[in-house]
Amino acid sequence: MEDFERILDELMEDEITRRRLLRRGAAGALSLSALAWLAACGETGGGKEQTKTIPKGKVSKTLYVANWPLYIDSKNPNKGTLGKFKKQYGTSVNYVEEINDNDQFFGKVRQQYARGDSGGRDIHVVTDWMAGRMKRLGYVQKLDHSAMPHVQANLIPKLRHPSFDPNRDYSVPWQSGQTGIIYRKDKVKRTPKSVNDLFDPAYKGKVTMLTEMRDTVGLVMLGMGEDPETFKGTDPALKAIDKVDKASKSGQIRRFTGNEYTKDITKGDSWVIYGWSGDAVQLTADNPNVAFVHPDEGFMLWTDNMQVPVGAPHAYTAEKFMDFVYMPEVQKAITEYVNYVPPVKGVRELVVKDDPSIAKSDLIFPSDTVLSHGKIFRELTPQEERTINSAFQKAIGA
């Protein structure tokens, strides 16, 4: 576990994305172009970082948590983690799966947050780069570390100081994950080992790539010998996008998707895709012909974070919930269900007693060797993001 902490700390930066768009298009009712516009506006609007720490108070009877789909062991307020929280604190959690994409969610809440209205939300969960934006704009509250003793004791030490929030004053990690290749063993001519295998003409029309720019572009850049963590300017990313664009126009790429790729590969409509580790664990469990591989060139890493938005009606209770899920025995249930990388110490030791196969999985508890090949997409300036996003959206037909 110390190796995991050490290497993951080296990899954690500011600009990584969440990639679990469930059974819908990348942007829902909003086009990707509109999302890029909202993102650009978001960097120039809003206020300053909040400096007043959340005051202590009484634990509330209700709590509103906004999260991604399929990201907790049960969303029933009387069962699983939420039921345990209710039993301990008497709080019923209104757990809403309303986040399908970072930019889409930002566009939805931006005006509310800008006027200090959380829309009733007490916690939202967004990826590092969006958590950093929320902090910069003054849309989230400063946390009281003394109200979260389990977080202080059990947060993986090397995840305590990410560049976007050095002291974890505005965020607490929820889960981490990896982006690599998911493929059908019964369809491919050989095990894919390179991100460039998706451009093999043998798989024309059977390839799916992700609508998350940093995942798709980052992986293609690795295949072109570029490092998505350290590249200079926009040219390396634009060259990768040009490669994706040509593959799309030629019919090599079947389509660009969010989480709905799980249906494509299950049915055999896609054979080789870029996909996410947590999905891969479940897909393989359901169909042994589906497998995940870490490409030889490297793979992408990301982390999602809990935050308390401005105007949250139950901010103190939100801190108690964050602290609650940092109890290893509570986090264990979440990990066994979502199959992503837990940020809480001691979970692996508990999981091994229930399911040794999960405890041995590099997708859930990655080794230092695996993590040494992990990459993140570097922080972009607003202008760089506009340029790269615009080109990517055009390439994927948004």
Side-chain angles (χ1 to χ4, degrees), residues 59-62 84-92:
V59 175
S60 61
K61 293 297 183 181
T62 61
K84 294 174 184 175
F85 184 71
K86 182 177 181 180
K87 182 177 180 180
Q88 179 161 331
Y89 289 100
T91 303
S92 293

Side-chain angles (χ1 to χ4, degrees), residues 41 47 79 99 170 173 185 195 199-200 209 220 247 250 260 284 373 394:
C41 292
K79 296 182 179 180
I99 305 175
Y170 299 88
K185 292 190 292 185
V195 295
F199 297 92
D200 186 332
M209 291 188 180
V220 174
S250 72
E260 64 267 27
T284 301
H373 298 289
K394 182 178 180 180

Side-chain angles (χ1 to χ4, degrees), residues 15-60:
E15 199 73 27
I16 20 188
T17 59
R18 175 64 162 88
R19 57 277 301 147
R20 199 174 183 130
L21 312 184
L22 182 71
R23 300 186 184 97
R24 59 189 296 177
L30 295 176
S31 70
L32 286 174
S33 298
L35 294 176
W37 179 83
L38 287 170
C41 292
E43 292 297 333
T44 57
K48 298 179 180 179
E49 291 181 12
Q50 300 292 321
T51 58
K52 184 179 179 181
T53 302
I54 294 172
K56 289 184 172 58
K58 294 182 179 180
V59 175
S60 61

Side-chain angles (χ1 to χ4, degrees), residues 225-383:
E226 296 286 351
D227 189 337
E229 289 186 324
T230 61
F231 71 96
K232 305 297 183 181
T234 60
D235 283 349
L238 293 177
K239 289 179 180 178
I241 292 171
D242 184 59
K243 184 174 182 178
V244 171
D245 184 40
K246 291 178 180 177
S248 178
K249 290 178 178 176
S250 72
Q252 178 71 18
I253 300 173
R254 178 173 180 269
R255 65 172 182 152
F256 299 88
T257 73
N259 185 259
E260 64 267 27
Y261 68 72
T262 58
K263 294 181 179 180
D264 292 352
I265 198 161
T266 297
K267 292 188 296 183
D269 292 337
S270 294
W271 297 353
V272 187
I273 69 177
Y274 291 156
W276 305 316
S277 57
D279 290 332
V281 174
Q282 187 58 54
L283 286 168
T284 301
D286 294 339
N287 184 345
N289 281 317
V290 179
F292 181 97
V293 65
H294 293 100
D296 289 344
E297 300 92 341
F299 59 94
M300 305 304 291
L301 283 174
W302 48 271
T303 295
D304 289 334
N305 305 271
M306 296 178 281
Q307 295 183 300
V308 180
V310 291
H314 311 117
Y316 177 70
T317 307
E319 291 179 320
K320 302 313 289 184
F321 180 83
M322 292 179 180
D323 194 58
F324 183 75
V325 299
Y326 267 72
M327 298 170 65
E329 59 271 25
V330 174
Q331 184 69 204
K332 168 179 166 289
I334 298 174
T335 299
E336 290 178 340
Y337 179 81
V338 305
N339 298 145
Y340 281 102
V341 181
V344 179
K345 291 190 297 182
V347 175
R348 184 174 190 170
E349 291 76 7
L350 296 176
V351 169
V352 72
K353 299 176 182 178
D354 286 350
D355 192 338
S357 65
I358 292 180
K360 293 178 181 178
S361 172
D362 276 332
L363 301 187
I364 303 173
F365 298 100
S367 67
D368 59 339
T369 300
V370 169
L371 283 173
S372 67
H373 298 289
K375 298 289 183 178
I376 58 87
F377 207 97
R378 74 164 174 84
E379 181 179 5
L380 300 174
T381 66
Q383 181 56 52

Side-chain angles (χ1 to χ4, degrees), residues 162-212:
S163 59
F164 74 94
D165 188 11
N167 297 314
R168 284 293 180 189
D169 288 328
Y170 299 88
S171 63
V172 173
W174 175 256
Q175 300 286 297
S176 299
Q178 309 159 55
T179 308
I181 298 173
I182 301 177
Y183 68 101
R184 282 288 296 262
K185 292 190 292 185
D186 58 334
K187 300 290 186 181
V188 300
K189 58 184 180 180
R190 55 181 167 75
T191 300
K193 295 183 178 180
S194 168
V195 295
N196 292 322
D197 285 340
L198 275 75
F199 297 92
D200 186 332
Y203 304 134
K204 184 174 182 178
K206 298 297 184 179
V207 172
T208 296
M209 291 188 180
L210 294 164
T211 51
E212 289 276 359

Side-chain angles (χ1 to χ4, degrees), residues 16 68 95 122 140 215-216 279 291:
I16 20 188
W68 302 75
Y95 185 89
D122 297 301
V140 291
D215 282 332
T216 291
D279 290 332

